[in-house]
Amino acid sequence: MPVDYAHPEEDRFFNFALELVKKAGRLVRDAFDQPSSNVQTKASNTDLVTETDQAVEAMLIKGLAAEFPEHKFIGEESVAGGQKIEYTNAPTWIIDPIDGTTNFVHRIPMVAICVGLAIKKELRAGIVYNPITNELFTAQVGRGAFKNGFPIKSSQTEAVSKAVLLLQIGADRSEKFVNSFIESYKAAMVKSDARGHRSFGSAAINMAYVAQGCVDAYAEYGIHAWDIAAAAVIVKEAGGVVIDPLGSELNVMGRKVLCAGTRKLADELSGMLTHVDFEPEG
Ligand code: LIP
C-alpha cells in the first residue's frame, strides 16, 4: 500500500536522524561504562540531569539543525534550561537524550535515546534506542514497527487478569499523586488480579516493550512529550493503541499516557485508574 507522506522528504529526515541517534548511542554507552556521572537536580530532588543528557541533546540538535535549518525542536534539557515549548505545524523533533536518567545515574541498563518527529502536529516517526542492551526500536507512520530491523507486534491480550502491566510513578511525589498511584495499583493488582506488574524506569522503554508484545499495557501520569512522542509511533505501528488515560485521543502535550496491545485492554485499564489532571504543556 502506498505510504501517505506528511512531507515529501520524510524518509530523508528519518534516515538522517537514525544515523545521528546511533552516534549518540556511542556517547551514552561510553559514559555508562564510567564508574559515575556528574549529577544535578532540576525541578525537584527526584528530577535528575547529567552532563551526558546535556551533551547528547546538544549533539542531536546541532546535527539535525545543520541539516534541516527550518525544523523546530522540543528537547528535554533545552526546556529545562529555559527554552519555551513551541509546538507548531513545522517539522518538529521531540527529543529526550536519555529517558531513564535515574537508571543511567544508578547504572541500571534501562535507558533510551528518544527522537520523535511531528509534522503538522502529527507524530510521524519515532526512534527509541537503548545502546546498553543494543535494542533499537524504530517506526514511521504506515511502515510498521521494528526492533533492530525486525518487525515487532504488540500482544493480543484483552483482559487485565491476563496482562502484565506497567504502572509507573515519575518525579512527582506529592501525597495526592502518590495516593492516586496506589489506588490505581490496587485496582489493577488486587481487584482485577493482573498477571504481573513491571516498571522499567523509562517511559520510552515501557512503551517499546508494549510495542514488542512482551508486556501488555502501560500507564503513567506526569510524563512529558519527549518521554512518549517517539515511542507512541512505535506502539501504534506495532498494532497497539496509545490514548489519553481517560480514553480520548492522545495529546502528546497532555502529560499522561496509556498504551496497550489491544483497545479492549486499554479500555479496561482506563476504567480502573484513579485519574489525575495535568495542565497540558506548550
Ligand atoms: C523519566 C521517565 C520516567 C518517568 C519520569 C521521567 P527522564 O524521564 O522516563 O518514565 O517516570 O517521570 O519523566 O527524566 O529520565 O528523561
Side-chain angles (χ1 to χ4, degrees):
M1 221 169 56
V3 177
D4 200 8
Y5 287 102
H7 190 290
E9 288 197 284
E10 238 178 292
D11 283 350
R12 188 166 79 85
F13 301 163
F14 174 78
N15 291 329
F16 186 84
L18 187 56
E19 290 314 307
L20 261 187
V21 168
K22 287 180 189 165
K23 276 192 203 141
R26 280 177 229 136
L27 276 183
V28 172
R29 203 176 45 222
D30 287 350
F32 192 87
D33 286 340
Q34 303 300 313
S36 63
S37 306
N38 181 342
V39 187
Q40 285 167 3
T41 55
K42 296 187 283 187
S44 70
N45 183 42
T46 50
D47 191 8
L48 309 182
V49 60
T50 70
E51 283 166 349
T52 311
D53 294 75
Q54 288 161 339
V56 169
E57 180 160 320
M59 180 261 199
L60 290 170
I61 293 182
K62 197 170 160 217
L64 288 164
E67 186 74 9
F68 310 119
E70 67 294 350
H71 289 193
K72 306 281 182 225
F73 298 90
I74 297 173
E76 174 171 21
E77 307 314 335
S78 313
V79 171
Q83 196 177 93
K84 251 186 94 214
I85 295 180
E86 283 180 51
Y87 194 40
T88 66
N89 284 335
T92 301
W93 297 95
I94 304 177
I95 297 174
D96 189 339
I98 301 180
D99 188 51
T101 302
T102 304
N103 283 348
F104 179 79
V105 166
H106 288 261
R107 298 302 187 257
I108 299 165
M110 304 305 272
V111 298
I113 300 165
C114 304
V115 174
L117 172 64
I119 301 175
K120 298 185 190 121
K121 295 193 182 170
E122 185 199 348
L123 296 173
R124 297 290 306 175
I127 303 167
V128 170
Y129 181 32
N130 182 344
I132 316 303
T133 58
N134 194 28
E135 293 174 295
L136 173 62
F137 297 92
T138 55
Q140 285 179 270
V141 170
R143 308 288 189 87
F146 300 87
K147 175 179 170 179
N148 296 339
F150 294 98
I152 51 173
K153 280 261 155 275
S154 62
S155 82
Q156 291 305 302
T157 306
E158 293 192 328
V160 167
S161 62
K162 296 225 164 32
V164 175
L165 300 178
L166 307 159
L167 300 176
Q168 189 161 286
I169 189 154
D172 187 336
R173 301 298 159 78
S174 64
E175 201 175 338
K176 187 169 161 244
F177 189 62
V178 173
N179 283 340
S180 66
F181 175 82
I182 292 169
E183 286 310 315
S184 293
Y185 188 86
K186 283 201 287 196
M189 304 309 292
V190 183
K191 285 200 207 115
S192 296
D193 202 17
R195 181 171 284 173
H197 173 259
R198 302 289 182 274
S199 174
F200 298 116
S202 154
I205 288 183
N206 289 345
M207 292 175 75
Y209 281 15
V210 170
Q212 72 172 352
C214 61
V215 295
D216 303 293
Y218 157 64
E220 184 167 350
Y221 295 84
I223 43 85
H224 297 275
W226 44 80
D227 300 315
I228 62 167
V233 183
I234 296 167
V235 174
K236 282 194 195 160
E237 285 299 312
V241 295
V242 187
I243 55 175
D244 179 285
L246 279 168
S248 55
E249 200 184 321
L250 176 79
N251 171 5
V252 73
M253 297 293 162
R255 305 216 47 208
K256 48 198 166 131
V257 69
L258 189 164
C259 66
T262 62
R263 181 72 211 205
K264 236 177 159 178
L265 180 62
D267 288 342
E268 189 187 348
L269 182 59
S270 164
M272 65 182 57
L273 294 174
T274 298
H275 297 285
V276 188
D277 271 340
F278 276 90
E279 194 56 44
E281 52 200 352

